[in-house]
Amino acid sequence: GQVVMSGREEVALVRPVDGVLTMSLLNYATQIKPLADFVEEVGEGRVSADELKLARTLIQQTSSDEVSLEQYEDTYTQKFKEAIEAKIAGKEVVTAPEEEDVPVVNLMDALRKSLKQGGGRKSSAPRPAAAARRRRKSS
């Protein structure tokens, strides 16, 4: 359905979860870039057997069937509230300097190193980035 939130129309999905109606906001089709637009950017890639094995191992180690949103903190809203309170108190609000360029790292080497350091332990909760991807996919 469609709802109005903060004066703006949004597409929403309402569904029952554990006996409670929940609402998830979705994107309009015009807000999503078609997959065909990425074909030229991605091109054809070849994946070695080692890379495929590494990808499967990473997915297994960082995946979880249950998600606990309590493990994530909304730091943006907290910092925003602090800035508002500082402004009300008459303090000057200063913006953060732009971040410096981060050196490019070989992703495969970094993933292999991460796996070696992790000792092969299975995470009981997903990483914040993985949870964000799941939310975007469900929207």
Side-chain angles (χ1 to χ4, degrees):
Q2 287 185 304
V3 297
V4 176
M5 295 187 65
S6 300
R8 183 171 178 211
E9 270 192 11
E10 302 277 356
V11 178
L13 169 68
V14 178
R15 61 185 168 187
V17 176
D18 295 332
V20 177
L21 285 179
T22 63
M23 181 176 70
S24 300
L25 297 179
L26 308 175
N27 292 316
Y28 288 99
T30 58
Q31 295 172 318
I32 301 172
K33 189 172 181 178
L35 290 177
D37 291 356
F38 294 99
V39 173
E40 289 181 21
E41 293 178 31
V42 175
E44 285 193 36
R46 299 198 184 267
V47 180
S48 71
D50 285 343
E51 291 172 329
L52 190 57
K53 182 180 177 182
L54 178 61
R56 286 187 176 133
T57 302
L58 286 169
I59 291 168
Q60 289 172 349
Q61 287 185 354
T62 59
S63 296
S64 175
D65 291 336
E66 295 182 26
V67 176
S68 173
L69 296 178
E70 287 79 28
Q71 72 183 9
Y72 304 103
E73 187 177 334
D74 183 3
T75 57
Y76 175 83
T77 301
Q78 181 61 33
K79 289 177 182 178
F80 191 67
K81 286 179 181 178
E82 289 171 4
I84 291 171
E85 290 170 5
K87 190 79 168 179
I88 291 171
K91 296 179 183 174
E92 181 180 349
V93 179
V94 181
T95 59
E98 291 187 26
E99 294 183 23
E100 296 179 19
D101 289 335
V102 178
V104 177
V105 177
N106 182 316
L107 183 59
M108 289 303 293
D109 290 341
L111 292 174
R112 284 187 183 101
K113 183 178 178 183
S114 174
L115 282 175
K116 287 179 184 176
Q117 291 176 349
R121 62 180 167 80
K122 174 119 172 122
S123 173
S124 62
R127 303 282 186 255
R133 283 191 301 278
R134 284 192 192 107
R135 285 194 299 272
R136 283 194 297 263
K137 281 186 178 180
S138 67
S139 356

